[in-house]
């Protein structure tokens, strides 16, 4: 097995790819197809909302959580635009129809395959902290209070990301890519149950901001399912942005309005909510840049997996876990146990070592190395590891497993690799999660993900976010979009040496994991998901389901999920616990249940030039998969 972390040209492939491919991690267990009961539970048809979760065809394809966004991308593709043009159009439309997850005041990570150049690139549009932010900015502040404040708003990255993406890889100007979103915002979209429920969940804080309540609480209550919600303010904002360009936000009038909203949040008179002012200045917006970075890259059993490098922890953690799985013998007899344990160990290392590379020396090559993966795999035995697993030592010095390995003694952590340096790095006994203190809140459905491919074979996997569902809850008056609360992705502290403490201009660590998988130099599959820190485990589990457990991509997406993030009890959907709980609890695993984990979208390239677009059939109301043409 060869594992690297680099950018590089991909060798051309002359043979067509078959649907069946090499195992990703070498599991030899028999295929674990989703049962008919699970398919009925997790893959109910989406026709009731006009959404179709699986589509196959030619000439390009798209999958998003929303039908209007998928239609926007498809329209661009049919007009001759490429995958990047379509991805920006879909992202901007999600800012209208999924405004609690995406928007022009948010950020994201994008992985792109250029079919002509045969290269993989990534664009980091992560929000940044203002220059006035310090390591103790959130210390002592309750998490919920930090979220709904100006203090949580990071410098937006989405517009700079769209601009860079279109200039580097697109064919359309920003004004043209925004046009489908302008049309949807002006005419309105039909409110579904998910949008209604998300609004209701946020209604208590939305009502405390008149600019927010005016749009999202018409008549003082969440919009009814089946009603049409229009956002003419956002339509006008997109039009002006298309005319004036990104500088209108990054130092211009729109930027000044964002800063004013952050520094003086428009609170409803008489509200008792404590809403802290933020630290953003117009100079912070002028200084913002989206960044093109080399992707992470691991090669596992003949498949090349490309992802997002830090400050996202998605590519490093998914890649490390895949390497661990490939190195452990437990995958053959207990693949789901091995999946949970590999996730646990990779998260221990993520929490200890990954942060913004401009501020932290992230040992990325070592985290993704074969030697480190084998050393970490030594810890996996028949029983679940004690909680929490300590981080390893990605120092380049790796040896064979000790003679008294966990596989022989039941998995005691002290029999594996010694915890060299965990204390010097200031890592606490409990690994911190994205929301500050571990266990403070369960991971939710925040963020969204889309995938697009075009007739030339270009591929985009794109995670977009404003952080919490509903961001910080504050709409910029007259502009129609919510601000992000991305800075609460920093560790709240105090935690001396933690790689994810706030700092001036720093990008908070993310779990977003847009991923593209190649076989023989040609794209085979693209996938990603929302869900906070569960994004990483969702992507990893889908890859394991697809390549090691014999599922089709629709089955791999629909199958019940579990998320182990170096926490005492694995978070799992009820169907997962029902089916696999007895076997896994016998191995020492504990579970807490949650209704849903993630809301994935994916693409798979089949034989004969056919592409399969896949979205969730049920989770988060189901997604929308579309193809340019069902036939050649």
């Amino acid at each position: 097995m060869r594992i690297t972390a680099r950018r590089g040209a991909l060798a051309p492939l002359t043979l067509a790819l078959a649907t069946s491919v090499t195992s990703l991690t070498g599991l030899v267990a028999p295929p674990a197809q989703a049962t008919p009961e699970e398919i009925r539970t997790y893959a109910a048809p989406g026709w009731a909302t006009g959404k179709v979760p699986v589509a196959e065809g030619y000439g390009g394809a798209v999958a998003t959580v929303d039908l209007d966004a998928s239609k926007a991308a498809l329209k661009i593709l049919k007009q001759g635009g490429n995958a990047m043009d379509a991805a920006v159009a879909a992202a901007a439309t999600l800012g209208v129809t999924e405004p609690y997850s995406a928007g022009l005041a948010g950020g994201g990570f994008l992985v792109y395959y250029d079919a002509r150049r045969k290269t993989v690139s990534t664009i980091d549009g992560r929000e940044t902290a203002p220059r006035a932010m310090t390591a103790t900015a959130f210390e002592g502040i309750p998490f919920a209070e930090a979220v709904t404040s100006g203090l949580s708003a990071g410098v937006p990255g989405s517009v700079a990301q769209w601009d860079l993406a279109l200039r580097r890889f697109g064919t359309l100007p920003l004004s043209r890519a925004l046009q489908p979103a302008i049309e949807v915002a002006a005419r309105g979209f039909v409110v579904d149950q998910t949008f209604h429920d998300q609004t209701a969940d946020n209604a208590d804080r939305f009502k405390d901001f008149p600019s927010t309540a005016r749009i999202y609480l018409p008549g003082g209550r969440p919009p009814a399912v089946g009603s049409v919600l229009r956002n003419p303010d956002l339509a006008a904002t997109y039009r002006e942005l298309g005319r004036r360009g990104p500088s209108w936000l990054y130092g211009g009038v729109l930027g000044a309005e964002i800063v004013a909203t952050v520094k003086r949040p428009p609170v409803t008179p008489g509200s008792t909510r404590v809403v802290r002012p933020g630290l953003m200045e117009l100079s912070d917006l002028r200084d913002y840049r989206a960044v093109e970075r080399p992707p992470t890259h691991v090669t596992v059993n003949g498949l090349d997996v490309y992802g997002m490098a830090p400050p996202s922890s998605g590519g490093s953690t998914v890649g490390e876990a895949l390497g661990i799985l490939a190195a452990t013998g437990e995958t053959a007899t207990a693949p789901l146990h091995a999946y949970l344990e590999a996730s646990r160990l990779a998260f221990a290392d993520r929490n200890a070592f990954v942060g913004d590379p401009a501020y932290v020396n992230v040992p990325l090559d070592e985290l993704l190395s074969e030697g480190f993966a084998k050393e970490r795999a030594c810890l996996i035995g028949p029983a679940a590891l004690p909680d929490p697993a300590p981080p390893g030592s990605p120092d380049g010095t790796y040896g064979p497993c000790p003679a008294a390995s966990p596989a022989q003694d039941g998995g005691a952590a002290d029999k594996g690799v010694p915890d060299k340096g965990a204390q010097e790095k200031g890592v606490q006994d409990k690994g911190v999660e994205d929301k500050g203190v571990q266990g403070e809140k369960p991971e939710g459905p925040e963020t969204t993900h889309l995938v697009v491919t075009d007739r030339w074979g270009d591929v985009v996997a794109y995670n977009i976010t404003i952080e919490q569902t509903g961001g910080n809850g504050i709409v910029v008056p007259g502009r129609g979009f919510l601000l992000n609360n991305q800075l609460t992705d920093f560790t709240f502290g105090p935690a001396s040496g933690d790689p994810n403490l706030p700092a001036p201009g720093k990008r908070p660590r993310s779990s977003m994991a847009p991923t593209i998988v190649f076989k023989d130099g040609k794209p085979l599959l693209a996938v990603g998901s929302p869900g906070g820190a569960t994004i990483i485990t969702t992507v990893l589990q889908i890859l394991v389901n697809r390549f090691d457990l014999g599922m089709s991509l629709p089955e791999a997406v629909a199958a019940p999920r579990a998320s182990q993030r170096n926490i005492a009890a694995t978070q799992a959907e009820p169907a997962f616990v029902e089916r696999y709980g007895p076997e896994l609890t016998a191995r020492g695993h504990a579970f807490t249940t949650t209704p849903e984990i993630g809301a994935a979208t994916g693409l798979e390239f089949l034989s004969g030039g056919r592409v399969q677009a896949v979205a969730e059939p049920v989770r988060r109301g189901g997604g929308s998969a579309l193809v340019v043409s069902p036939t050649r």
Side-chain angles (χ1 to χ4, degrees):
M1 179 181 71
R2 176 176 58 86
I3 298 181
T4 59
R6 62 173 178 84
R7 179 202 307 274
L10 298 170
L13 176 71
T14 56
L15 298 178
L17 290 171
T19 302
S20 177
V21 299
T22 305
S23 167
L24 191 65
T25 58
L27 306 193
V28 296
Q33 303 285 354
T35 67
E37 292 76 15
E38 287 167 356
I39 293 298
R40 283 195 290 271
T41 300
Y42 285 90
W47 52 262
T49 58
K51 298 176 180 178
V52 177
V54 181
E56 290 187 14
Y58 303 86
V62 57
T64 79
V65 74
D66 175 72
L67 181 58
D68 287 307
S70 294
K71 285 181 175 179
L74 198 71
K75 181 177 182 179
I76 294 295
L77 292 175
K78 287 184 173 181
Q79 291 174 347
N82 70 8
M84 190 63 83
D85 302 323
V88 172
T93 304
L94 287 167
V96 181
T97 59
E98 289 283 310
Y100 307 149
S101 300
L104 67 86
F109 294 101
L110 183 153
V111 180
Y112 176 68
Y113 171 65
D114 186 313
R116 183 172 65 86
R117 297 182 178 91
K118 295 182 171 56
T119 56
V120 179
S121 303
T122 78
I123 299 178
D124 171 2
R126 185 65 160 171
E127 301 91 334
T128 59
R131 280 201 301 256
M133 178 153 278
T134 66
T136 58
F138 290 110
E139 194 170 328
I141 301 176
F143 180 76
E145 189 175 306
V147 168
T148 308
S149 73
L151 188 63
S152 69
V155 179
S158 285
V159 172
Q161 187 179 44
W162 298 345
D163 177 60
L164 178 59
L166 292 173
R167 286 189 289 107
R168 285 281 288 116
F169 304 110
T171 68
L172 300 180
L174 181 61
S175 58
R176 176 89 177 276
L178 292 175
Q179 191 57 41
I182 293 169
E183 294 169 3
V184 174
R187 74 167 185 261
F189 64 94
V190 178
V191 173
D192 62 11
Q193 190 66 51
T194 298
F195 188 90
H196 170 86
D197 292 346
Q198 289 179 341
T199 308
D201 290 343
N202 282 281
D204 283 346
R205 64 185 187 129
F206 282 3
K207 68 179 175 56
D208 288 334
F209 303 101
S211 55
T212 307
R214 185 171 68 85
I215 298 173
Y216 298 120
L217 297 175
R221 59 181 59 87
V225 175
S227 65
V228 174
L229 186 69
R230 297 177 176 85
N231 193 338
D233 288 350
L234 183 55
T237 299
Y238 275 153
R239 285 192 198 98
E240 195 74 3
L241 179 63
R243 283 196 294 266
R244 296 182 178 273
S247 63
W248 186 51
L249 189 158
Y250 296 105
V253 171
L254 181 59
E257 293 178 15
I258 290 173
V259 169
T261 305
V262 167
K263 295 175 77 69
R264 295 179 297 278
V267 181
T268 300
S271 170
T272 58
R273 184 180 298 276
V274 176
V275 183
R276 296 170 184 266
L279 303 171
M280 193 186 303
E281 301 289 350
L282 196 58
S283 58
D284 295 311
L285 285 161
R286 290 195 194 100
D287 292 343
Y288 183 85
R289 298 292 184 274
V291 181
E292 191 173 349
R293 301 185 187 275
T296 61
H297 172 206
V298 298
T299 300
V300 185
N301 293 336
L303 296 177
D304 291 288
V305 183
Y306 287 83
M308 195 70 218
S312 174
S313 61
S316 65
T317 311
V318 170
E320 180 187 344
L322 289 173
I324 293 170
L325 282 170
T328 177
E330 283 299 314
T331 55
T333 56
L336 290 176
H337 164 68
Y339 154 68
L340 296 177
E341 294 296 88
S343 298
R344 185 194 306 275
L345 292 169
F347 261 89
D349 299 325
R350 164 213 188 252
N351 294 342
F353 301 112
V354 180
D356 185 340
Y359 294 75
V360 179
N361 184 20
V362 181
L364 184 60
D365 287 350
E366 295 303 327
L367 290 171
L368 295 174
S369 69
E370 181 178 3
F372 186 60
K374 288 181 175 179
E375 187 172 86
R376 296 300 269 158
C378 291
L379 295 169
I380 298 179
L385 288 161
D387 169 65
S393 297
D395 54 11
T397 303
Y398 312 116
C401 294
S405 70
Q408 296 168 327
D409 67 14
D414 60 358
K415 297 292 184 179
V417 181
D419 180 17
K420 301 178 283 181
Q423 295 307 314
E424 5 192 279
K425 298 192 179 296
V427 179
Q428 298 170 328
D429 286 343
K430 291 282 186 179
V432 289
E433 282 292 335
D434 274 9
K435 303 297 178 280
V437 181
Q438 177 178 326
E440 190 164 329
K441 65 176 282 292
E443 295 296 333
E446 58 264 12
T447 308
T448 191
H449 183 268
L450 64 90
V451 284
V452 186
T453 187
D454 58 32
R455 61 186 173 183
W456 300 281
D458 304 314
V459 184
V460 176
Y462 188 11
N463 261 130
I464 320 151
T465 188
I466 60 171
E467 212 334 61
Q468 293 289 115
T469 301
N472 74 354
I474 307 171
V475 166
V476 176
R479 294 302 181 185
F481 60 86
L482 286 154
L483 295 174
N484 71 77
N485 67 290
Q486 206 66 66
L487 302 186
T488 57
D489 255 0
F490 283 121
T491 302
F492 278 25
S496 175
D498 188 290
N500 193 42
L501 287 172
K506 189 175 182 180
R507 298 173 190 236
R509 180 175 61 208
S510 169
S511 296
M512 289 184 276
T515 301
I516 305 179
V517 179
F518 294 77
K519 181 175 173 60
D520 299 328
K522 195 167 185 178
L524 173 63
L525 183 147
V527 68
S529 177
T534 69
I535 292 171
I536 292 167
T537 56
T538 295
V539 170
L540 178 62
Q541 189 175 359
I542 289 172
L543 294 178
V544 169
N545 286 347
R546 171 66 188 92
F547 295 119
D548 292 323
L549 300 183
M551 298 184 191
S552 67
L553 183 58
E555 289 174 322
V557 168
R561 294 181 185 138
S563 177
Q564 170 50 244
R565 306 186 302 280
N566 202 23
I567 50 180
T570 296
Q571 190 178 356
E573 294 174 338
F576 184 94
V577 176
E578 181 179 351
R579 182 173 181 186
Y580 304 111
E583 171 194 345
L584 292 168
T585 54
R587 290 178 174 269
H589 293 279
F591 295 95
T592 59
T593 58
T594 187
E596 294 181 348
I597 296 175
T601 53
L603 295 170
E604 182 165 348
F605 294 86
L606 308 176
S607 59
R610 198 164 81 260
V611 64
Q612 182 183 65
V614 180
E616 295 282 359
V618 170
R619 293 181 185 97
R620 199 149 144 181
S624 170
L626 297 173
V627 294
V628 170
S629 175
T631 60
R632 275 199 183 279

